[in-house]
Amino acid sequence: MLSGHASGRTGFMLVRRKLVERLRAQGIRDARVLAAFEAVPRHDLVPEVLWGQAYKDTALPIGEGQTISAPGVVATMSAALGLTGPECVLEIGTGSGYQAAILSRLATRVISIERIPELARSARAALAALEVRNVEFHLGDGTCGRPEDAPYEGIVVTAGGPEVPRPLLEQLSLGGRLVGPFGPRDAQQLLRIRRTGASSYTQEVLGRCDFVDLVGRNGWLP
Ligand code: SAH
């Protein structure tokens, strides 16, 4: 039965619904986030040999020593941004393009930065094939953010750095949220930071996590 395993939005629809039920059971309540997970075909963003594992709640290799984050982690981070639709969101670490594709359904404009050219290229092609039109891709060091398009109502950092890059804090809008993993490699914490004033921020710890390195000028050294 080809229909159950085809590329695109209709492939793997039933397993995707089961994934959404698991995310709901894990406490993800935001209906727009759950709808995004039902709509985005994660299997199209991983190598075909891994299609059988595409809807398990695990990280998977995507080449270049990098991984696509587990759906539960992507859901937690997406929900933590508290998006309602009109926002402009900056993502650091395009990787497979999965988090960007989810964000494309939660915000009006998504800007995603990746430092590895091969990943940036394949994510761009994969999202074009899925007819995602509101994600802009850039190659470079995301720890410097992208001042040209700032401020951002949401910033999501999908690789783990020693500390929150200062330029990203400065590029948040007033009331904007930054979500990402920071701290020593063996004790990363998923943080949510909210800008409350010109130079004031609040910080919450959402939990422990284990991401690949954020490599750059305001991250780990290459
Ligand atoms: N959001 C991705 C997760 C990929 S893993 C997804 O949904 O698949 C994290 C990614 O961050 C890797 O592709 C890595 O190359 C990238 N990365 C690490 N440091 C970076 C930096 N300073 N700027 C941009 N991308 C970076």
Side-chain angles (χ1 to χ4, degrees):
M1 287 275 288
L2 258 179
S3 61
H5 297 277
S7 289
R9 243 174 260 147
T10 52
F12 290 89
M13 217 142 74
L14 292 178
V15 263
R16 205 144 65 233
R17 277 196 196 131
K18 284 197 185 126
L19 167 65
V20 168
E21 284 320 308
R22 278 204 304 280
L23 295 176
R24 207 194 300 275
Q26 284 168 26
I28 303 296
R29 296 273 180 264
D30 186 324
R32 297 173 70 246
V33 171
L34 293 170
F37 277 82
E38 184 155 345
V40 176
R42 189 173 186 253
H43 67 281
D44 278 333
L45 301 170
V46 301
E48 196 167 338
V49 291
L50 297 175
W51 277 15
Q53 299 174 60
Y55 296 98
K56 294 192 176 145
D57 195 13
T58 55
L60 296 170
I62 54 171
E64 310 294 328
Q66 307 302 319
T67 55
I68 179 174
S69 308
V73 174
V74 179
T76 299
M77 293 172 82
S78 304
L81 288 170
L83 301 169
T84 60
E87 296 89 352
C88 178
V89 177
L90 176 68
E91 178 193 28
I92 312 306
T94 313
S96 67
Y98 184 59
Q99 170 83 75
I102 295 288
L103 291 172
S104 77
R105 298 182 156 262
L106 303 174
T108 297
R109 186 173 176 212
V110 179
I111 295 166
S112 186
I113 308 178
E114 170 58 52
R115 64 181 285 272
I116 300 178
E118 291 71 21
L119 294 177
R121 241 195 319 273
S122 64
R124 184 195 292 265
L127 267 56
L130 295 176
E131 298 180 342
V132 173
R133 301 191 209 285
N134 58 341
V135 177
E136 295 157 44
F137 300 91
H138 297 280
L139 192 62
D141 177 5
T143 67
C144 299
R146 189 172 162 79
E148 298 93 311
D149 293 305
Y152 304 98
E153 287 84 28
I155 300 180
V156 61
V157 183
T158 69
E163 56 195 33
V164 186
R166 165 95 355 223
L168 299 185
L169 293 173
E170 287 165 357
Q171 290 169 33
L172 270 183
S173 69
L174 191 60
R177 287 80 61 197
L178 179 151
V179 176
F182 301 101
R185 288 190 178 94
D186 58 352
Q188 272 179 13
Q189 289 182 318
L190 188 61
L191 302 183
R192 171 168 53 193
I193 289 156
R194 190 181 298 268
R195 186 168 202 170
T196 53
S199 52
S200 56
Y201 300 85
T202 57
Q203 177 178 309
E204 289 160 82
V205 177
L206 304 180
R208 286 288 304 271
C209 53
D210 184 19
F211 281 72
V212 297
D213 280 0
L214 179 68
V215 180
R217 180 196 268 260
N218 304 292
W220 299 104
L221 294 175

